[in-house]
């Protein structure tokens, strides 16, 4: 089954998401509708949005380690997260949901949009985030990395910015050649 990625960029409302998705789609198209390789990412194309970008390496099982993280991502966690594992930085039950999403991004592969809000002690106010995550392949073409663009904003009940719909992931799954195509991504929260 093939998926139509022609509207993926249209679903992105925030500039950081649009920059990342636009670059990823260009690489996806250039690779013949295959997951782009990590080494193809051009930081210059992401420009002013680099503080919102992070890349995770999948090291097997539930071990996802930050390869790099922009300044806004580090600020969110209250520390430099490079070389730290996702499981060490996030508590349950959010940790398990993020790990499920990370596995789905690489296994399906899929584009996943999710959001959350929380109180950050280092900021002393509630913040919300909206994150788009996309798979990247290693040198052998195997999806082993996840690139994400995260936009942070103060939580405001009057904010009209809506998070992605729950069917977002199902519309933007990438079929694996010779792989099962019947897995469903759990709706993002």
């Amino acid at each position: 089954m093939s998926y139509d990625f022609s509207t993926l960029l249209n679903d992105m409302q925030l500039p950081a998401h649009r920059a990342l998705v636009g670059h990823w789609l260009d690489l996806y198209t250039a690779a013949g509708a295959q997951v782009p390789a990590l080494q193809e990412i051009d930081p210059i194309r992401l420009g002013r949005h680099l503080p919102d970008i992070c890349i995770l390496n999948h090291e097997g099982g539930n071990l996802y380690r930050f390869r790099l993280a922009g300044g806004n991502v580090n600020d969110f966690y209250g520390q430099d997260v490079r070389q730290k594992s996702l499981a060490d930085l996030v508590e349950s039950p959010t940790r398990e949901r993020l790990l499920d999403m990370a596995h789905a991004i690489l296994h399906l592969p899929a584009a996943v949009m999710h959001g959350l809000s929380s109180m950050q002690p280092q900021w002393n106010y509630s913040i919300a985030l909206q994150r788009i995550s996309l798979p990247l392949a290693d040198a052998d073409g195997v999806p082993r990395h996840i690139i994400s663009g995260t936009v942070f904003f103060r939580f405001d009940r009057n904010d009209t910015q809506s998070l992605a719909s729950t069917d977002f992931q199902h519309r933007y799954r990438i079929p694996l050649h010779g792989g099962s195509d019947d897995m469903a991504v759990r709706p993002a929260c």
Side-chain angles (χ1 to χ4, degrees):
M1 175 178 224
S2 91
Y3 294 89
D4 180 7
F5 282 81
S6 64
T7 62
L8 178 59
L9 189 58
N10 295 339
D11 284 345
M12 300 296 105
Q13 299 172 359
L14 301 171
H17 293 166
R18 290 187 61 78
L20 177 58
V21 168
H23 181 41
W24 187 91
L25 283 171
D26 288 346
L27 296 173
Y28 175 79
T29 301
Q34 298 292 314
V35 173
L38 171 67
Q39 63 268 22
E40 297 299 318
I41 294 296
D42 180 1
I44 294 172
R45 281 274 313 264
L46 300 174
R48 66 186 178 96
H49 304 293
L50 287 173
D52 302 315
I53 303 293
C54 66
I55 296 177
L56 293 172
N57 291 336
H58 183 221
E59 297 179 1
N62 282 335
L63 184 54
Y64 289 85
R65 192 175 304 280
F66 281 89
R67 179 186 190 95
L68 63 86
N72 293 339
V73 177
N74 287 326
D75 287 348
F76 174 75
Y77 289 105
Q79 60 184 300
D80 183 353
V81 298
R82 284 175 299 161
Q83 299 305 313
K84 295 197 173 21
S85 77
L86 185 62
D88 291 338
L89 295 168
V90 183
E91 296 181 12
S92 290
T94 302
R95 173 180 44 232
E96 287 73 22
R97 288 195 313 263
L98 291 177
L99 289 171
D100 285 348
M101 282 189 273
H103 286 306
I105 291 164
L106 296 181
H107 180 73
L108 292 175
V112 172
M113 176 74 82
H114 76 97
L116 65 91
S117 63
S118 70
M119 177 67 164
Q120 294 299 311
Q122 67 271 23
W123 292 345
N124 200 28
Y125 58 83
S126 292
I127 58 107
L129 68 82
Q130 188 176 33
R131 176 180 292 145
I132 179 70
S133 298
L134 301 154
L136 294 172
D138 63 14
D140 296 323
V142 178
R144 291 199 199 278
H145 312 281
I146 298 170
I147 189 166
S148 299
T150 306
V151 177
F152 304 94
F153 48 97
R154 285 184 185 225
F155 187 77
D156 180 355
R157 294 184 190 274
N158 299 320
D159 192 347
T160 58
Q161 187 74 41
S162 63
L163 297 179
S165 63
T166 57
D167 72 338
F168 179 90
Q169 304 87 295
H170 300 287
R171 289 187 288 137
Y172 299 115
R173 289 191 340 192
I174 303 167
L176 288 174
H177 296 290
S180 171
D181 195 41
D182 60 355
M183 285 191 62
V185 178
R186 293 182 188 176
C189 53

